[in-house]
Amino acid sequence: MTNEPSRHSWLRSFHGGYLLEGYTLTLVRGLSPQRFLELLGAEPQGDFAGFNAFVAQDLEFQEDEVDWGDNMFVGATRVRGQDVDWVLAVEINGGIEFQTDAMERATAGTRGVSHFRSPDAMRLFSWWEDGELRTRFEGALHRQGSTPDELNDLMRQVGCDFETGECGLEQYVALAEELTGVRVTPETLRDGVYSTGIVEIPGLPH
């Protein structure tokens, strides 16, 4: 495997850099979008064709929120891996993966990966296996989970720097691709049909 930063840099320019304001992308093997939302405990909000329609619905949801962050709007679409379908979930900003226990349920008996960037540029990558958080990191030097070092070789191969700790968005996209066999592209997001739902984020202070 060779690291190809240019092939994995599309996220920075996608939709005019829209996702740099905050996003979460999650992949879970073998689930339909509807089953994924069910396991998250989401309240269904309908299906929307294309990223533009999904964003419009997300903006409408945000405008109706009184206390922002108590709930998260998520869209899920089906994508093809090397040998099985996966679900790709998108949140604008986001937080379901690390602020709830939803991924424990969603990855029971299967694999999931998620990467996140906040509006203040905090970045997280998480790898789940059979309901267990195996590795999560913000930068190559700050790792946690039940097997925090298991991805180290793969992280180096995709370009994470274990001297400086730098591991950028290109590396997150590449690492997700290596762990899932799913190549997410701008067209994947642009053309997806998104089943949507609202997930409650419990226990946040007002």
Side-chain angles (χ1 to χ4, degrees), residues 104-118:
E104 295 180 25
R105 300 189 297 274
T107 63
T110 191
R111 169 174 289 191
V113 301
S114 181
H115 50 100
F116 160 84
R117 176 186 167 109
S118 73

Side-chain angles (χ1 to χ4, degrees), residues 1 3-5 123 125 135 137-143 151-176:
M1 180 192 66
N3 184 29
E4 302 175 72
R123 300 190 298 260
F125 186 99
T135 306
F137 61 88
E138 179 189 4
L141 303 181
H142 303 285
R143 304 180 304 278
L151 298 182
N152 288 8
D153 288 344
L154 193 55
M155 289 167 66
R156 289 187 178 94
Q157 289 177 47
V158 300
C160 294
D161 190 326
F162 277 73
E163 292 187 4
T164 66
E166 178 59 26
C167 197
L169 297 183
E170 289 83 359
Q171 284 71 49
Y172 282 19
V173 173
L175 188 58

Side-chain angles (χ1 to χ4, degrees), residues 23-139:
Y23 78 90
T24 304
L25 295 180
T26 300
L27 286 159
V28 181
R29 182 177 57 203
L31 297 183
S32 69
Q34 295 76 20
R35 178 57 176 159
F36 176 75
L37 292 174
E38 179 183 343
L39 290 170
L40 262 56
E43 180 183 345
Q45 300 295 304
D47 294 347
F48 300 89
F51 189 78
N52 286 341
F54 167 70
V55 167
Q57 192 66 21
D58 180 82
L59 290 173
E60 183 176 317
F61 157 77
Q62 291 188 40
E63 289 173 358
D64 291 340
E65 284 290 279
V66 176
D67 294 305
W68 192 90
D70 284 1
N71 300 282
M72 288 294 174
F73 188 77
V74 57
T77 188
R78 191 186 306 270
V79 292
R80 186 65 183 169
Q82 294 175 341
D83 57 358
V84 69
D85 284 347
W86 293 63
V87 62
L88 169 65
V90 184
E91 300 166 66
I92 307 304
N93 199 349
I96 293 171
E97 186 271 332
F98 62 90
Q99 294 191 79
T100 77
D101 62 359
M103 285 292 281
E104 295 180 25
R105 300 189 297 274
T107 63
T110 191
R111 169 174 289 191
V113 301
S114 181
H115 50 100
F116 160 84
R117 176 186 167 109
S118 73
D120 61 2
M122 182 183 83
R123 300 190 298 260
L124 288 176
F125 186 99
S126 303
W127 164 42
W128 292 79
E129 201 78 35
D130 195 15
E132 180 180 60
L133 177 62
R134 297 288 298 275
T135 306
R136 174 182 287 151
F137 61 88
E138 179 189 4

